[in-house]
Structures are given as C-alpha cells and as structure tokens.
Amino acid sequence: MTTMLWAVAIGMTITAVWRFPAVKHGDPMQRALWACSAAFAATVWCRVPQVKQALDNSPVTDLSALLKYLTSLVAILAALRYITAVYGEPSGDSDRHVAVSRRISHVAHTCALAAMIVQVVLFFTVVDRSHPSTDFADAQAGQWGGALFLTIQYTYLGVAAATCCYQWARAARRAEKRALRIGLALMATAMAIYTIYPALRTVTTWIPPEVSALTMRTVADSVNMVVACLWAAGAAVPSTMALSARWNSWRALQKLRPLWSDLMNAFPHLALQQPGARITESLRFTPSLNVRLDRRTQEIAGGIEQLRHYASPDLLYVAENLAESHDDPEAAAEAYWIRAARQSQKSGRRSAVPSRKLREKPLTSVTAEANWLARVAALPVPPTLVRIMHERAGEPPVDLALQAAGRGQAADPSRAGSDRVKDPTGRPARG
C-alpha cells in the first residue's frame, strides 16, 4: 500500500508540474485543471506514511488530517470550476444542466472560505486530538465535534463529485472521438466513486462500525488511490491528444524540409525565413508548430506554382504515364514533374507562359496538405527518369539571362513574384 501511495503521489505531482505553465498562460479551464491536480497531489502526499508521520509528529496533533481535508476541499472547488469552465455560459433551456452546475459551483465557492474557517475552528477547539490517530475519521466516529468537522468535508465532496460525475458522464455519451469518450468516462467513474464514498463515510462518522482503525484506513487509502488513478488517466487524454497532434505536426515539418529547402533555395523571395541547419530549425519554438507547418505548405505551393514556367506543356502527361505503375501513382507523378521542372530551371530554361497547373486535390486542411506533400517529398526520382521525361515532353526554351547568371532561379525575383498565383485571400494558391 505504501508503494502505491508513493506512486500515486509522484504521478499526481508530475501531472501538476506538467500543467504548471497554465497558471500564467492558460485559460480558466486549464488553470482550474492545474489547481485540481496540484491540490489532489497534496492530498495524496498527506496520506503517504512517511509524510503523515512527519506532520503528525509536529506540535499540532493530526496535522496531516487537517491539511489533507483542506487540500481536498481546494481540489473539489477546482474540479467544480473546471466543469463550469468547460461548458461556459448556459444558453437556453437546452443547457439547463449547465445552469444547475454553475449555481452549485457558485454556492460552493461562496461558502468555501466560511467552511474552511469553521473546519479549522472545530479542529482546534472541539475535535478530540488527545492522541494521534491512525485513521482520523475512524478516531472521530461517534464524537459530535469530529463528526461535524467531517460532515462539512464529506458534504462538499459528495455534492461536487456528483455534479462532476453527471456532467462528465453526459459529455462522454456525446463525445465524437473515442479517446475523449474514454477519458471522460474514466473521470466520471472516479467521481461516481467519490459520490458514494462520502455518503458512506458520513454515516460511519455518526454511527461507528465494528471494524478496526487500520481497516478503515486501508479502505480510505484504497478508494483515494483508485480515484486518483482514474481521474489522472482521464484528465490526461486531452493532453495526450494535444501532444500527439504536436508530434504529428513536428514530423510533417521534418518530412517536408527537403522539398521546402530545395524550392526555397530556388526561389528565395518566397521564403519568409531562409532554410537553415536542420538542428537549428528543430530547436526553434516560435512561431508555433501549426503556424510553421502552414507557412511551409504555403511556401512549397508557391514554389510549385513558380515551377510551371520551367515545365513544358506535355510534362505532366508524361509524368503521369510514367507513374502509372508506381504504388502511389498520383504522388509519384507530382514528384516526377517537380524534379523535371527543377532540372530545367537549373539548366537555364524558362517559358514566359506557364504550363498547366497540377491536378486539383481535395485537401481541406493544412494537415491534409502537409501529409500529401510529405508523400510527394518522400518519393525518390532518379536522374535517368528525368532524362526520359525531357526526351518525351521536351523542355522550355533556353533563357540566356538565366544561363548567364549560372544558377537555376528567376533572374528577376520581383517578376517571379508577380507571376505567383494567389487565392482570393491573397495567399499562394494550393496546388
């Protein structure tokens, strides 16, 4: 049991530390979630035998019990605030359950300070603390002072847990994503346990059962560990989903780097930030990953648009014919076309009239476009295949200015920028 308490306490502490940036930068929902995690961690630490013994050996007898109940009260209030922050303001009869939860939360927060003061006063005046207790609730069973102290605590715990259970269970039934549905169900289960447990503990506080203090302590620790594990696992699901999304964005950014770097070296005027060392770009934290991924896909689209001046009219048809036997023919055709057009550009060839656009693709988001471009970038194109395409499709005429410059990029960046096709928002059109 001691090992489990240590594991749960450390796990909840890690969760609280992980969510600590939300205190300064998060929204009300994230701050409430951090407060709940931190207070819950403190509550579990007060149950760890070594910590409990150190606190109880202080001049204040059963200090661990007082701190445990006060921190758990803070966790309860934070959970209520999290619930109301998740659902926001009610809007009409259809959100009556949200309005009820907000009223419960408002009453609980209004009375919280008074309840804590009353508990502290009761603890130092009428609660019998003549001897340190193994289980505080069991030791106070049958004594009106301790029973009143615990009744206040369990009333808060039961009402808050029932409210959270109702809201999370309702949200779990309506959640579209399976992972979110599982997370909410785990949190609702934890709160269901915390709804039943306080009611039973309130009864045993006024009417003591015929069991030992050690048994009651074991039951209490077991319940709290189960609830902590269920709640932490459920609350971690949204964060896990966010981390997964960030990881996928980072991987997409890395997969697009070769294609993006090649095109931005060819058309430097398109890049807001020139390609640098891979390690430097990997350690960059601003702007956000989503912004960088969107920018990178847009710049690649702009580079592909510029390549139309370096592709012959028949190049796309030839590329598609050669890619028919490929496992991914559509992506292969685009990769072949890009490589052949880039080779013509390096050779100093350019047509004043751009060739036809690449085929439209049903890409509805930045993620979808990044995944498509990653498929294109991953396909190798051997030089022999490029020569075959040029033999069959031909190349644009030689541009003497480009050949004289000795490099495969537009002689006049401002002119190349004017050729860039844009969508109605002014951004480069997606290929």
Side-chain angles (χ1 to χ4, degrees), residues 163-203:
T163 303
C164 294
C165 178
Y166 172 65
Q167 293 285 20
W168 285 335
R170 186 185 181 97
R173 290 195 300 270
R174 299 184 176 186
E176 296 180 359
K177 295 183 178 180
R178 183 180 180 182
L180 184 57
R181 185 162 60 248
I182 292 174
L184 290 169
L186 290 174
M187 296 172 74
T189 302
M191 293 300 101
I193 296 174
Y194 253 9
T195 301
I196 299 172
Y197 175 73
L200 297 177
R201 287 294 266 175
T202 302
V203 173

Side-chain angles (χ1 to χ4, degrees), residues 58-205:
S58 68
V60 180
T61 304
D62 285 341
L63 177 61
S64 65
L66 177 62
L67 295 179
K68 175 184 69 178
Y69 288 120
L70 291 180
T71 53
S72 64
L73 191 59
V74 173
I76 294 165
L77 296 173
L80 279 176
R81 186 174 293 278
Y82 174 73
I83 277 292
T84 55
V86 167
Y87 288 94
E89 296 289 343
S91 57
D93 295 336
S94 61
D95 295 323
R96 185 174 300 171
H97 64 287
V98 180
V100 171
S101 298
R102 292 185 68 84
R103 283 197 292 271
I104 293 174
S105 177
H106 178 73
V107 172
H109 280 82
T110 302
C111 303
L113 181 59
M116 288 182 178
I117 293 175
V118 170
Q119 283 187 294
V120 172
V121 172
L122 291 174
F123 184 83
F124 286 102
T125 55
V126 299
V127 173
D128 182 12
R129 296 182 296 109
S130 56
H131 302 286
S133 59
T134 302
D135 182 82
F136 181 81
D138 181 72
Q140 299 301 321
Q143 302 184 36
W144 74 270
L148 181 58
F149 174 92
L150 292 170
T151 298
I152 295 173
Q153 180 72 26
Y154 291 143
T155 299
Y156 262 89
L157 178 58
V159 172
T163 303
C164 294
C165 178
Y166 172 65
Q167 293 285 20
W168 285 335
R170 186 185 181 97
R173 290 195 300 270
R174 299 184 176 186
E176 296 180 359
K177 295 183 178 180
R178 183 180 180 182
L180 184 57
R181 185 162 60 248
I182 292 174
L184 290 169
L186 290 174
M187 296 172 74
T189 302
M191 293 300 101
I193 296 174
Y194 253 9
T195 301
I196 299 172
Y197 175 73
L200 297 177
R201 287 294 266 175
T202 302
V203 173
T204 59
T205 298

